[in-house]
């Protein structure tokens, strides 16, 4: 009898088949003496759509809402139905003893497999492969320690609840908003509170009133010191600031007190997905989606890192004896850093990283024992791997220790503070490659010592509004309120960008006019990050076997009815921000600009009229056909284009037209002078220009 093994992707299935000795290749599976390895293509099965329950729902109508099926059914995704049929046929084979779920070891992977099993009506025993890396050793160890499928029933129930909640709320609220206001308006259980946080920050920026304040810096002996009073360095009264500056000018300072404070900075924990996305955004400007994509390749293709979609930053205790092998695997790219650690037998200094209680589904993202060949990685892959590698290596180095010296200097009754930080032990920070200089100006000071005030600098400044969110900032907020999971947060941000309610400019997230209006239309309950956080906690409880799935979904159904009723009875108004003055030739409604500005579409959803927007014509003439050229704005700036002749000219390559005034000045300057030099030289504008060029040379 054979095991049927269900992987999530063909690439993973090939690795499993190779390790298990399966060599008989078929179109939809790979067979060996004891195993048959097949695969999904991501999801093969999904929740039924409204029109699958009743064909009338194919047309979106406000009066049909809310759509709440008594029982949520499943259907096969048409585009990948061929692979589902292949698995269905395999499941009927008489020589199969059991099925091994080998999809991604997480909530979504569990859902992928269980829905397929439900549709093929699998009745035989089920086991679960639960591994955190794709190396050959991890696969072999995983198959030697297969878990009972029932162990993950609660995880599956949690995944079903999340999926059905997103369907009920997201689909109904999106249809209600879209049909009520006749514009594509998307809302959901997670994306709406995420957008609301960005709008809240935008309101803080817009309502911010800048204030003038002053700071006073002084050069006292060899020290740079700043005026402080009760920990405040700013003065909001110009007169008072000027009085203090004048009072201390050219006075003598006395060292009133000297304080030393030692500080130990603990090792940073290894990365979870959200923290890695934040760091990659801050350091390299990577979007959360890009980090996830690059990380998946490092995990799946190169097998250099452990499972990516984790929410833990800790490791299990039994992993301590794998550290030496991981260091050896990394040594090909980090020889200098790793060699001293191998001599210490891979001893981890930061023992607190090993904590079974802090690891739920998966441990932190760390390197595997797969031999590292940096030359195989492209630039982005190398950058991301380096973040993971150095954070991992930090665990083997001592903690960072420093000493802060604070001197309080009294000048004419005013306090000036000077601070210096001395590095006592660079510890894990040596991995950053930056040598920190330790100033020593304060070390020689003594209490009661007097110094002369050499220079006073009174500087006027303005208070600044809060900054717009970067993706790193937004990910932190989403994590704080449990909005989404590490695996879904990148997709949520991309969905907001794709639905035109957010823009990304210079790594900052800006709400669009559409996004600002959408938040005004959406129910207060749906905008609340706290409410979504409550839902997420309930889902986590269900995954741990401490929640009630039936009760959770009943509450979601009640909330769906309430949210739709609020939209139906709302008196709010909405106007599409991209309406033009042009009318649709078919129905007479106003046309809207598409996102790229190149297409015009009818604002009425029922009308399918669309056409390309007429290009703006310039006064620039094509050098070949002499017709007016189109004016366009691209990434490289403004340019002119004649499509029939395939001629493109940059705007800055335009010949500058000489004004009448410039013409008179040129005539006056060069006509008389050059007449003497060259009798044959006329006084036309062309001759004057020629003379000007000669003069320039």
């Amino acid at each position: 009898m054979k095991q049927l093994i269900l992987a999530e992707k063909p690439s993973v299935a090939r690795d499993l088949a190779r390790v298990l000795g399966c060599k008989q290749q078929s179109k939809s599976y790979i067979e060996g003496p004891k195993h048959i390895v097949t695969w999904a293509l991501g999801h093969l099965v999904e929740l039924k759509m409204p029109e699958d329950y009743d064909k009338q729902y194919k047309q979106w109508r406000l009066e049909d809402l809310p759509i709440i099926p008594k029982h949520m059914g499943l259907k096969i995704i048409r585009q990948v139905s061929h692979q589902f049929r292949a698995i269905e046929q395999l499941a009927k084979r008489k020589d199969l003893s059991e099925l091994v779920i080998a999809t991604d070891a997480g909530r979504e992977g569990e859902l992928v497999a269980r829905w397929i099993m439900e549709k093929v009506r699998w009745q035989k025993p089920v086991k679960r492969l639960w591994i955190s890396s794709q190396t050959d050793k991890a696969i072999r160890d995983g198959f030697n320690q297969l878990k009972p499928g029932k162990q993950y029933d609660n995880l599956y129930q949690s995944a079903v609840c999340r999926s059905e909640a997103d369907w009920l709320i997201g689909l109904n609220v999106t249809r209600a908003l879209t049909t009520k206001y006749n514009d594509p308006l998307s809302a959901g259980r997670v994306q709406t509170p995420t957008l609301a946080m960005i709008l809240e920050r935008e309101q803080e920026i817009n309502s911010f009133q800048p204030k003038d304040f002053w700071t006073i810096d002084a050069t006292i002996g060899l020290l740079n010191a700043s005026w402080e009073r009760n920990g405040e360095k700013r003065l909001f009264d110009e007169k008072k600031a000027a009085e203090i500056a004048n009072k201390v000018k050219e006075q003598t300072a006395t060292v009133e007190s000297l304080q030393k404070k030692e500080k130990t900075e603990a090792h940073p924990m290894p990365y979870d997905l959200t923290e890695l996305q934040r760091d990659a955004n801050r350091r390299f400007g990577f979007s959360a989606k890009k980090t996830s994509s690059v990380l998946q390749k490092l995990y799946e293709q190169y097998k250099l890192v452990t499972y990516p979609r984790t929410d833990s930053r800790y490791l299990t205790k039994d992993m301590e004896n794998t550290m030496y092998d991981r260091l050896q695997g990394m040594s090909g790219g980090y020889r200098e850093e790793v060699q001293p650690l191998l001599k210490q037998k891979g001893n981890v200094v930061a023992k607190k990283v090993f904590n079974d209680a802090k690891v739920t589904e998966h441990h932190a993202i760390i390197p595997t024992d797969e031999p590292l060949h940096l030359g195989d990685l492209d630039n982005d892959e190398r950058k991301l791997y380096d973040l993971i590698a150095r954070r991992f290596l930090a665990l083997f180095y001592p903690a960072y220790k420093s000493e802060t010296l604070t001197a309080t200097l009294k000048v004419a009754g005013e306090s000036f503070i000077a601070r210096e930080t001395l590095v006592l032990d660079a510890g894990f920070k040596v991995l950053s490659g930056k040598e920190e200089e330790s100033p020593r100006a304060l070390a020689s000071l003594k209490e009661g010592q007097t110094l002369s005030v050499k220079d006073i600098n009174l500087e006027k400044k303005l208070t600044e509004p809060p900054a717009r969110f970067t993706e790193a900032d937004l990910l932190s907020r989403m994590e704080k309120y449990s909005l989404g999971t590490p695996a879904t947060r990148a997709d949520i941000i991309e969905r907001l960008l794709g639905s035109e309610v957010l823009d990304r400019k210079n790594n900052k997230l800006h709400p669009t006019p559409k996004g600002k209006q959408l938040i005004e239309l959406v129910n207060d309950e749906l905008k609340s990050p706290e409410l979504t956080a409550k839902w997420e906690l309930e889902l986590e409880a269900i995954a741990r076997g401490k929640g009630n799935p039936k009760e959770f979904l009943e509450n979601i159904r009640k909330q769906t009815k309430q949210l739709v009723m609020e939209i139906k009875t709302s008196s709010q108004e909405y106007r599409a921000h991209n309406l033009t003055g042009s009318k649709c030739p078919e129905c007479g409604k106003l046309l809207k600009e598409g996102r790229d500005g190149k297409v015009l579409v009818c604002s009425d959803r029922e009308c399918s009229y669309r056409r390309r927007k007429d290009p703006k014509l310039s006064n620039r003439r094509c050098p070949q056909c002499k017709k007016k050229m189109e004016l366009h704005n691209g990434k490289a700036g403004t340019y002119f284009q004649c499509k029939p002749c395939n001629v493109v000219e940059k705007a800055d390559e335009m010949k500058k037209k000489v004004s009448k005034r410039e013409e008179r000045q040129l005539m006056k300057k060069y006509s008389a002078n050059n007449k003497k030099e060259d009798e044959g030289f006329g006084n036309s504008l062309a001759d004057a220009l020629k003379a000007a060029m000669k003069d320039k040379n």
Side-chain angles (χ1 to χ4, degrees), residues 416-551:
F416 282 77
I417 308 295
R419 289 185 181 87
E420 285 180 355
T421 298
L422 310 178
V423 178
L424 302 178
D425 185 346
F428 64 83
K429 288 199 175 182
V430 297
L431 292 165
S432 67
K434 296 174 185 174
E435 291 292 329
E436 290 192 43
E437 291 184 14
S438 292
R440 294 281 176 181
L442 294 184
S444 58
L445 286 184
K446 293 178 182 176
E447 287 186 9
Q449 185 177 343
T450 57
L451 302 163
S452 58
V453 178
K454 294 181 179 178
D455 189 33
I456 294 291
N457 180 33
L458 178 65
E459 191 174 355
K460 180 183 176 181
K461 297 176 182 177
L462 270 175
T463 55
E464 293 184 353
R468 285 187 175 87
F469 288 136
T470 61
E471 281 200 39
D473 301 325
L474 186 58
L475 286 165
S476 296
R477 288 296 187 97
M478 292 174 79
E479 185 177 47
K480 178 183 175 182
Y481 291 107
S482 299
L483 294 176
T485 65
T488 61
R489 285 174 191 138
D491 288 330
I492 291 158
I493 294 171
E494 291 301 318
R495 199 177 304 149
L496 290 169
L497 290 161
S499 59
E500 302 180 31
V501 295
L502 276 191
D503 267 343
R504 190 193 282 126
K505 298 174 187 173
N506 300 321
N507 203 29
K508 299 279 187 183
L509 297 169
H510 298 247
T512 64
K514 181 177 180 178
K516 290 173 185 176
Q517 285 195 85
L518 175 59
I519 285 298
E520 293 299 317
L521 303 174
V522 172
N523 324 61
D524 289 337
E525 192 178 15
L526 197 58
K527 287 186 278 194
S528 165
E530 289 81 8
L531 176 67
T532 306
K534 177 176 168 285
W535 284 337
E536 290 294 343
L537 287 172
E538 288 179 38
L539 288 167
E540 283 301 320
I542 292 166
R544 293 194 301 271
K546 295 177 181 177
N548 186 327
K550 189 177 178 183
E551 192 177 297

Side-chain angles (χ1 to χ4, degrees), residues 175-457:
R175 284 197 176 204
L177 289 168
T178 300
T179 50
K180 170 117 181 174
Y181 300 107
N182 200 26
D183 201 43
L185 296 169
S186 177
R189 193 180 58 85
V190 177
Q191 70 187 60
T192 302
T194 303
L195 176 62
M197 291 192 297
I198 294 170
L199 263 296
E200 188 181 336
R201 175 55 59 92
E202 192 70 14
Q203 286 164 0
E204 288 173 21
I205 294 168
N206 292 336
S207 61
F208 180 80
Q209 296 292 327
K211 291 181 181 178
D212 293 334
F213 70 92
W214 289 261
T215 58
I216 306 169
D217 297 315
T219 305
I220 301 174
L222 298 173
L223 308 175
N224 294 317
S226 300
W227 176 90
E228 272 189 37
R229 184 179 289 169
N230 300 325
E232 178 61 79
K233 293 184 177 183
R234 302 175 300 172
L235 285 151
F236 289 90
D237 186 326
E238 183 179 11
K239 188 179 177 184
K240 188 180 273 189
E243 282 175 6
I244 294 171
N246 290 326
K247 183 167 70 166
V248 300
K249 198 177 287 181
E250 298 177 0
Q251 295 293 316
T252 300
T254 305
V255 180
E256 185 180 57
S257 67
L258 285 166
Q259 289 182 327
K260 288 184 181 180
K261 190 176 181 181
E262 280 196 18
K263 181 185 174 186
T264 299
E265 189 176 326
H267 300 78
M269 290 290 98
Y271 285 113
D272 63 9
L273 177 57
T274 302
E275 177 71 4
L276 182 60
Q277 288 170 326
R278 279 200 294 260
D279 262 15
N281 182 255
R282 291 189 193 109
R283 296 276 296 277
F284 314 126
F286 287 6
S287 69
K289 186 73 174 174
K290 180 174 181 177
T291 298
S292 293
S293 175
V294 174
L295 186 60
Q296 190 66 24
K297 282 185 75 178
L298 290 174
Y299 165 69
E300 200 174 287
Q301 182 178 329
Y302 299 107
K303 304 173 177 48
L304 290 172
V305 300
T306 57
Y307 186 75
R309 295 190 287 280
T310 176
D311 61 356
S312 176
R313 299 183 62 191
Y314 289 83
L315 307 174
T316 54
K317 287 177 183 175
D318 62 355
M319 294 178 71
E320 193 166 0
N321 59 13
T322 70
M323 297 296 110
Y324 187 87
D325 292 340
R326 294 174 196 275
L327 289 171
Q328 275 197 320
M330 295 171 65
S331 61
Y334 294 84
R335 187 169 302 279
E336 194 177 315
E337 293 88 350
V338 164
Q339 284 305 320
L341 308 181
L342 289 173
K343 287 176 184 175
Q344 295 165 18
K345 298 183 179 178
N347 179 50
V348 171
V349 176
K351 298 290 186 188
K352 66 176 182 179
V353 74
F354 299 111
N355 188 334
D356 291 349
K358 300 263 184 162
V359 179
T360 49
E361 293 174 17
H362 289 282
H363 58 70
I365 303 166
I366 59 172
T368 64
D369 56 8
E370 188 80 5
L372 170 65
H373 303 288
L374 280 177
D376 294 345
L377 308 183
D378 66 25
N379 193 38
D380 290 341
E381 291 160 355
R382 203 174 297 185
K383 283 178 178 177
L384 204 63
Y385 181 83
D386 188 63
L387 281 182
I388 297 164
R390 292 189 184 278
R391 184 61 72 91
F392 174 69
L393 290 172
L395 300 172
F396 300 86
Y397 283 76
Y400 173 82
K401 290 182 181 177
S402 62
E403 182 182 71
T404 301
L405 302 176
T406 304
T408 304
L409 305 126
K410 280 288 183 182
V411 187
E414 300 293 337
S415 295
F416 282 77
I417 308 295
R419 289 185 181 87
E420 285 180 355
T421 298
L422 310 178
V423 178
L424 302 178
D425 185 346
F428 64 83
K429 288 199 175 182
V430 297
L431 292 165
S432 67
K434 296 174 185 174
E435 291 292 329
E436 290 192 43
E437 291 184 14
S438 292
R440 294 281 176 181
L442 294 184
S444 58
L445 286 184
K446 293 178 182 176
E447 287 186 9
Q449 185 177 343
T450 57
L451 302 163
S452 58
V453 178
K454 294 181 179 178
D455 189 33
I456 294 291
N457 180 33

Side-chain angles (χ1 to χ4, degrees), residues 548-594:
N548 186 327
K550 189 177 178 183
E551 192 177 297
F552 175 82
L553 288 173
E554 280 175 5
N555 287 333
I556 289 290
R557 280 170 154 75
K558 286 177 191 172
Q559 284 164 336
T560 300
K561 290 175 185 175
Q562 180 193 329
L563 292 169
V564 170
M565 184 54 65
E566 282 183 35
I567 294 169
K568 281 184 170 183
T569 57
S570 171
S571 58
Q572 291 270 20
E573 291 185 0
Y574 172 86
R575 179 180 168 83
H577 69 284
N578 51 354
L579 283 177
T580 67
S582 305
K583 289 188 176 180
C584 172
E586 293 185 8
C587 71
K589 298 278 178 69
L590 291 176
L591 294 173
K592 295 189 301 185
E593 270 191 355

